Amino acid sequence: MLAEAERTRISTPVKLPAVVVEPAPKRPAPEAAPNSDRAPPLTYRPKEAAAALSVSQATLYELIAIGALSARKLGSATIILRSDIDAYLAALPLMVSAAKAALEKTR
């Protein structure tokens, strides 16, 4: 059996000091940081590559399926090389301005 003093010590509630938890400051996204010293990544996951190309993930997978953009497997992860994204963008046709198109029609 517990002594009287021991029972009192156990049954007496302990008051703890109030703890104030402040939220951590938000860091800017790496893409949003201007003049960043960080080099762009060498590889992208499909979600990141879609965001970099400003297309949906479905469109990205279509580009991969038709062979317009190369993707690789690293274990179970699908990756897209930055150089493959650069090559895809460089191969896109140039946009003809309306004025230039109208000029070509008159020739």
Side-chain angles (χ1 to χ4, degrees), residues 27-38:
R27 292 186 238 160
E31 295 83 19
N35 301 327
S36 177
D37 292 336
R38 297 177 67 183

Side-chain angles (χ1 to χ4, degrees), residues 39-92:
L42 293 175
T43 63
Y44 293 90
R45 299 297 297 270
K47 184 176 183 178
E48 299 164 336
L53 290 169
S54 299
V55 298
S56 68
Q57 285 186 23
T59 299
L60 180 85
Y61 282 113
E62 286 178 28
L63 292 172
I64 293 169
I66 64 172
L69 184 62
S70 298
R72 292 162 170 74
K73 288 301 249 184
L74 181 62
S76 63
T78 301
I79 60 169
I80 296 119
L81 299 178
R82 180 180 67 218
S83 59
D84 289 336
I85 292 174
D86 292 340
Y88 168 74
L89 292 173
L92 290 175

Side-chain angles (χ1 to χ4, degrees), residues 1-13:
M1 290 194 83
L2 295 174
E4 182 64 31
E6 188 67 20
R7 270 189 259 129
T8 304
R9 186 181 69 80
I10 293 173
S11 64
T12 306

Side-chain angles (χ1 to χ4, degrees), residues 99-107:
K100 186 175 179 181
L103 223 162
E104 290 176 357
K105 285 183 182 179
T106 59
R107 290 185 185 175

